[in-house]
Amino acid sequence: MIKTGKISEVKENVRKWKKAGLSIGLVPTMGYLHEGHASLIKKAREENDKVIVSDFVNPIQFGPKEDLGTYPRDFEADCKLCEGIGADLIFHPEPSEMYEGDFHSYVGVNTLSEGLCGKTRPIHFNGVCTVVTKLFNITEADRAYFGQKDAQQLAIVRRMVRDLNYNITIVGCPIIREEDGLAKSSRNTYLKPDEREKATILHKALSEGERMVRDGETDANKVVKVVRDIIESEPLAKVDYVEIVDWNELQKVEKIDGPILMAVAVYIGKVRLIDNFIVENSMVIEMV
Ligand code: AMP
């Protein structure tokens, strides 16, 4: 597996692979890889001749009061995981390699970026769209793999690719969970033992919401209330948002009659966790 922090070295390999007619799959990550990331890399491995994993804590998607400085990092362990799955290249640039001093260009998707996590993280999705655009251009990937764990991100990247005619296919992958239902996340390491135990409340609450929708409930506010009440029954939990939005425009819905995303963001102590499920055509496609 090639390990590099240089854009020029990635491009050199990509040129070689493209010349040989090989397909390329890209898995963008911020590192500290776990089984959620591994599931994306495995899928990319199955569907492409060459697999590139980017491992970059992207500074421009963090707000000034967020956890850029403390975000967990372990490049050696990441390399082991990628090598084990058979990735061909891991790209681990320094921020200065991605953003030179005179960097001024940003990409953004309006409307979809404004609700849900966009409310508390106003610059986040422009940072994501910008880094993802750079990674698409650097790797010339045929396919890129994103987790439903970050459902708003997945919807935004898909829309950006469609609106701006990027030559890439976005592949969405299901949420991988711990045995007790907590969605795997690099940020779970911030949780103290008692918080880790209580964090299962997100999945418990969403499971109840899923059950209601599966049983035919179409009143979105009713489902939101039940899910919110369950989360708030846990004293350590503080709701940032609990919402049901349509899965195309990410706008709040009153009535569930098409594809919807039910998403939550919850502070457990000081740690902000997100989770969700999607219902397409009145059929739940994600919940374990
Ligand atoms: P991150 O390193 O947190 O930026 O995540 C990189 C990619 O892995 C994103 O597309 C995430 O949605 C995806 N991902 C993170 N956690 C999970 C999970 N538990 N299940 C599936 N995909 C995940």
Side-chain angles (χ1 to χ4, degrees):
M1 185 177 74
I2 301 158
K3 300 174 195 174
T4 181
K6 294 275 162 253
I7 294 171
S8 56
E9 201 175 329
V10 179
K11 284 190 163 183
E12 222 170 89
N13 283 285
V14 165
R15 215 172 293 132
K16 234 172 30 202
W17 294 340
K18 288 271 159 183
K19 211 168 163 199
L22 302 175
S23 64
I24 298 173
L26 168 69
V27 184
T29 82
M30 296 209 298
Y32 211 68
L33 304 179
H34 50 67
E35 284 165 53
H37 300 108
S39 71
L40 272 53
I41 301 167
K42 281 180 194 153
K43 184 132 176 80
R45 180 67 287 162
E46 284 164 23
E47 297 181 349
N48 301 276
D49 298 315
K50 295 289 177 184
V51 173
I52 299 177
V53 178
S54 64
D55 185 315
F56 177 56
V57 182
N58 176 35
I60 68 165
Q61 70 187 64
F62 287 77
K65 289 188 185 144
E66 293 181 0
D67 57 343
L68 174 63
T70 55
Y71 195 85
R73 292 161 164 89
D74 189 344
F75 185 58
E76 258 181 45
D78 292 350
C79 287
K80 257 194 207 146
L81 183 141
C82 290
E83 220 152 14
I85 300 172
D88 298 282
L89 188 151
I90 185 163
F91 177 46
H92 184 55
E94 288 297 322
S96 57
E97 176 78 2
M98 293 294 270
Y99 304 112
E100 290 176 37
D102 56 355
F103 187 90
H104 290 306
S105 308
Y106 293 85
V107 184
V109 175
N110 296 345
T111 311
L112 282 76
S113 301
E114 286 151 21
L116 302 175
C117 288
K119 268 193 202 144
T120 43
R121 310 189 74 190
I123 60 151
H124 176 68
F125 291 111
N126 284 10
V128 169
C129 288
T130 303
V131 77
V132 162
T133 295
K134 285 175 70 76
L135 292 168
F136 289 177
N137 287 333
I138 292 164
T139 64
E140 296 179 49
D142 299 277
R143 297 178 197 82
Y145 296 79
F146 289 85
Q148 189 199 307
K149 164 78 179 14
D150 301 275
Q152 186 174 15
Q153 169 175 282
L154 172 60
I156 288 169
V157 171
R158 272 200 177 131
R159 184 59 60 93
M160 175 182 83
V161 163
R162 194 199 76 181
D163 285 353
L164 301 179
N165 307 100
Y166 287 59
N167 285 320
I168 192 163
T169 301
I170 302 302
V171 183
C173 303
I175 302 175
I176 304 298
R177 299 179 179 280
E178 303 287 354
E179 261 179 33
D180 62 6
L182 178 67
K184 286 188 184 265
S185 165
S186 309
R187 287 191 170 101
N188 290 351
T189 55
Y190 296 150
L191 295 165
K192 297 183 192 125
D194 59 325
E195 294 170 341
R196 168 64 190 82
E197 211 180 287
K198 304 292 164 44
T200 54
I201 198 71
L202 277 77
H203 182 248
K204 277 189 200 133
L206 281 167
S207 299
E208 183 54 23
E210 176 219 345
R211 192 195 59 73
M212 288 175 76
V213 177
R214 198 196 285 277
D215 287 352
E217 181 57 68
T218 57
D219 183 339
N221 292 325
K222 244 191 210 171
V223 183
V224 165
K225 182 169 181 338
V226 167
V227 170
R228 181 181 267 276
D229 285 350
I230 295 173
I231 294 170
E232 286 178 341
S233 72
E234 172 46 61
L236 277 185
K238 195 172 148 275
V239 168
D240 176 1
Y241 65 77
V242 174
E243 281 188 37
I244 296 182
V245 298
D246 75 272
W247 179 227
N248 285 320
E249 296 295 318
L250 306 185
Q251 301 301 301
K252 264 191 200 177
V253 296
E254 301 280 326
K255 189 166 189 290
I256 300 170
D257 59 0
I260 59 110
L261 162 71
M262 176 153 209
V264 304
V266 178
Y267 289 92
I268 302 288
K270 287 190 177 134
V271 187
R272 187 173 175 280
L273 301 176
I274 57 171
D275 201 347
N276 68 80
F277 67 86
I278 293 170
V279 182
E280 276 184 303
N281 303 323
S282 303
M283 201 186 75
V284 177
I285 64 163
E286 211 306 305
M287 279 314 273
V288 179

